[in-house]
């Protein structure tokens, strides 16, 4: 018995040594030491997969990743695709990708030109790399605001105007932003100034989970795939658990969205992400017959004609805090049934003193929290103990 025990221990030790020699440990957070590069080593043992997004793809190789943004904006076509070559710091740059933007990873200094990216810096533990934002007053993340107070963040788009000189002085390794086309002012200015820019196309997605999956896109630049996969899986599991609650609802209440501005009612498209939220929450969106994803530009009369008897009105003016505020803006709003029956819910519960709204920040990364709020609004019996995160009822 002792003989076989000794043989087993020896074989186990040999296997451990052999495995360690075949697959040496890697540290994706550090640059390779000079002369340490090994073409046979996989420097990205943790990888992402995509399930919901149709806006980007990633291919992994031992020391580099090929990240392709296939839809950087709403009406982008195949020719508009943007490719990034993410090379592990210290490894050689591969050939054959001359048209790709080369980025050394992990990125150590970055700017976020949208609050929707900020939750991922915090979630993935890479806040130290965040050196700039567009406007700090638009953010709600406490850790980000603490960095601003500590003098560790620079605003490069104060008052909504991009300051190229400040961006150049800051000299970040990468700027995360969005674009509505290659010739959009901000994107073109940044590129022409010689700054490296990563286009994030989450806003073009029509599914809440697809929008959230762009967090994985951001993760690839920081070699944070492991935590990104784990966090996304936990979030989607919760989303699908909540979605299952509404599968057999007997009635689906009617809903309309938003409010007019300067005479135009900006109604969400029938196939957009908010429409998907309402469907998943067991509601009937009154403009679901619209086959587009783009915002609809309507007048008051056409909205009233269709929605006057609707049970719920969501996402109106962010400054409304009571029914009195609604009627003060336009007395005609009082003719909607939803106003008179307590059916108005505004997504401004998580708004701070500067009126920055976390619904448009963390809500992108955590659509499960939005879905839970919506289900509690439409079907309170399904979530009787729910504590609202983003929505406020103006009838209370």
């Amino acid at each position: 018995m002792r003989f076989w025990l000794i043989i087993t221990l020896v074989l186990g030790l040999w296997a451990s040594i052999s495995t360690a020699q075949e697959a040496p440990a890697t540290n994706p957070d550090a640059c390779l030491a000079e002369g340490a590069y090994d073409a046979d080593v996989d420097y990205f043992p943790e990888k992402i997969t995509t399930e919901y997004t149709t806006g980007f793809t990633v291919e992994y190789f031992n020391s580099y990743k090929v990240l392709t943004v296939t839809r950087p904006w709403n009406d982008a076509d195949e020719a508009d695709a943007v490719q990034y070559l993410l090379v592990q710091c210290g490894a050689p740059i591969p050939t054959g990708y001359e048209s790709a933007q080369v980025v050394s990873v992990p990125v150590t200094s970055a700017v976020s030109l949208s609050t929707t990216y900020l939750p991922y810096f915090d979630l993935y533990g890479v806040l130290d790399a965040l050196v700039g934002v567009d406007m700090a007053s638009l953010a709600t993340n406490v850790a980000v605001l603490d960095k601003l107070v500590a003098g560790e963040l620079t605003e490069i788009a104060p008052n909504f105007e991009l300051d190229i000189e400040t961006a150049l002085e800051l000299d970040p390794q990468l700027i995360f932003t969005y674009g509505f086309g290659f010739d959009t002012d901000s994107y073109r200015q940044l590129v022409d100034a010689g700054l490296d820019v990563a286009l994030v196309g989450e806003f073009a997605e029509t599914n809440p989970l697809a929008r959230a999956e762009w967090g994985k896109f951001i993760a690839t630049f920081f070699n944070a795939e492991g935590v990104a996969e784990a966090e996304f899986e936990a979030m989607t599991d919760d989303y699908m658990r909540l979605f299952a609650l509404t599968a057999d609802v007997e009635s689906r209440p009617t809903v309309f969205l938003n409010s007019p501005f300067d005479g135009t009612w900006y109604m969400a498209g029938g196939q957009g992400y908010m429409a998907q939220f309402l469907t998943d929450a067991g509601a009937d969106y009154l403009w679901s017959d619209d086959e587009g994803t783009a915002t609809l530009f309507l007048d008051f009369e056409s909205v009233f004609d269709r929605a006057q008897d609707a049970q719920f009105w969501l996402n109106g003016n962010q400054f409304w805090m009571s029914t009195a505020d609604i009627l003060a803006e336009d007395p005609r709003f009082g003719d909607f049934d939803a106003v008179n029956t307590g059916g108005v819910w505004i997504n401004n519960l998580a708004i701070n003193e500067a009126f920055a709204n976390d619904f448009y920040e963390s809500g992108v990364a955590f659509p499960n929290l939005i879905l839970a709020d919506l289900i509690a609004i439409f079907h309170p019996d399904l979530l009787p103990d729910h504590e609202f995160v983003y929505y406020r009822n103006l009838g209370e």
Side-chain angles (χ1 to χ4, degrees):
M1 180 66 71
R2 291 180 179 176
F3 172 77
W4 288 111
L5 179 59
I6 293 172
I7 291 297
T8 301
L9 291 173
V10 170
L11 289 174
L13 180 60
W14 178 85
S16 298
I17 294 173
S18 176
T19 301
Q21 290 175 339
E22 292 174 1
T26 61
N27 181 3
D29 295 329
C31 284
L32 302 178
E34 186 176 353
Y37 170 70
D38 186 339
D40 294 325
V41 173
D42 182 357
Y43 292 100
F44 310 114
E46 296 180 324
K47 300 171 175 58
I48 65 163
T49 58
T50 57
E51 182 178 354
Y52 299 95
T53 180
T54 57
F56 75 90
T57 62
V58 60
E59 296 177 89
Y60 284 92
F61 301 88
N62 279 2
S63 61
Y64 64 95
K65 322 168 194 180
V66 180
L67 191 59
T68 305
V69 179
T70 56
R71 192 180 62 250
W73 47 80
N74 283 318
D75 57 352
D77 54 34
E78 187 175 339
D80 295 324
V82 184
Q83 195 167 79
Y84 301 93
L85 184 63
L86 279 55
V87 182
Q88 179 63 26
C89 184
I93 298 175
T95 59
Y97 299 95
E98 284 68 28
S99 62
Q101 179 176 314
V102 179
V103 180
S104 178
V105 294
V107 167
T108 56
S109 64
V111 169
S112 172
L113 291 187
S114 173
T115 58
T116 58
Y117 317 148
L118 297 178
Y120 303 112
F121 282 85
D122 198 359
L123 197 61
Y124 302 157
V126 294
L127 269 173
D128 286 346
L130 183 67
V131 296
V133 293
D134 48 353
M135 287 178 59
S137 62
L138 299 176
T140 63
N141 186 288
V142 174
V144 171
L145 295 175
D146 285 346
K147 282 177 66 71
L148 181 72
V149 172
E152 298 171 357
L153 279 183
T154 298
E155 291 183 296
I156 70 168
N159 301 316
F160 300 100
E161 294 185 7
L162 185 64
D163 187 336
I164 294 295
E165 290 187 7
T166 298
L168 288 170
E169 290 174 2
L170 187 60
D171 192 26
Q173 187 180 348
L174 191 67
I175 297 177
F176 290 100
T177 189
Y178 54 89
F180 300 106
F182 282 121
D183 294 324
T184 56
D185 288 344
S186 60
Y187 178 71
R188 180 52 56 192
Q189 288 179 56
L190 293 167
V191 173
D192 287 348
L195 293 162
D196 286 334
V197 180
L199 280 172
V200 186
E202 119 277 331
F203 68 94
E205 300 282 1
T206 61
N207 181 294
L209 294 177
R211 297 178 85 216
E213 198 161 32
W214 277 84
K216 297 182 183 181
F217 172 86
I218 293 174
T220 62
F221 290 92
F222 297 97
N223 291 348
E225 283 93 334
V227 64
E229 279 288 305
E231 293 288 350
F232 187 78
E233 181 179 2
M235 183 277 295
T236 52
D237 284 350
D238 191 47
Y239 191 101
M240 299 311 292
R241 175 190 65 83
L242 292 163
F243 174 50
L245 296 177
T246 67
D248 299 319
V249 292
E250 295 182 358
S251 63
R252 304 176 73 87
T254 50
V255 188
F256 66 107
L257 297 169
N258 306 339
S259 56
F261 179 76
D262 282 348
T264 300
W265 200 305
Y266 298 89
M267 192 69 67
Q271 307 306 312
Y273 79 94
M274 270 309 303
Q276 187 65 56
F277 261 132
L278 299 179
T279 297
D280 291 351
D284 178 15
Y285 181 40
L286 291 178
W287 271 264
S288 62
D289 59 336
D290 172 61
E291 297 181 355
T293 60
T295 300
L296 304 173
F297 305 104
L298 308 174
D299 56 32
F300 180 94
E301 289 72 22
S302 62
V303 172
F304 183 75
D305 183 58
R306 184 177 296 198
Q308 59 180 313
D309 299 325
Q311 293 162 270
F312 292 98
W313 179 3
L314 269 61
N315 300 4
N317 190 321
Q318 296 292 290
F319 294 96
W320 291 347
M321 297 294 172
S322 66
T323 301
D325 291 338
I326 301 175
L327 300 178
E329 181 168 321
D330 192 330
R332 293 179 300 173
F333 291 151
D335 294 328
F336 285 98
D337 281 0
V339 175
N340 297 305
T341 59
V344 179
W345 290 77
I346 306 299
N347 53 339
N348 64 1
L349 183 60
I351 211 166
N352 65 16
E353 294 179 354
F355 277 90
N357 194 339
D358 198 31
F359 178 88
Y360 300 105
E361 187 171 321
S362 70
V364 176
F366 299 102
N368 56 319
L369 301 182
I370 294 178
L371 182 62
D373 271 8
L374 294 175
I375 292 174
I377 291 170
F378 305 137
H379 305 283
D381 55 310
L382 296 179
L383 294 173
D385 300 319
H386 178 71
E387 294 185 9
F388 286 92
V389 177
Y390 301 111
Y391 278 90
R392 178 199 313 273
N393 181 224
L394 266 57
E396 296 181 349

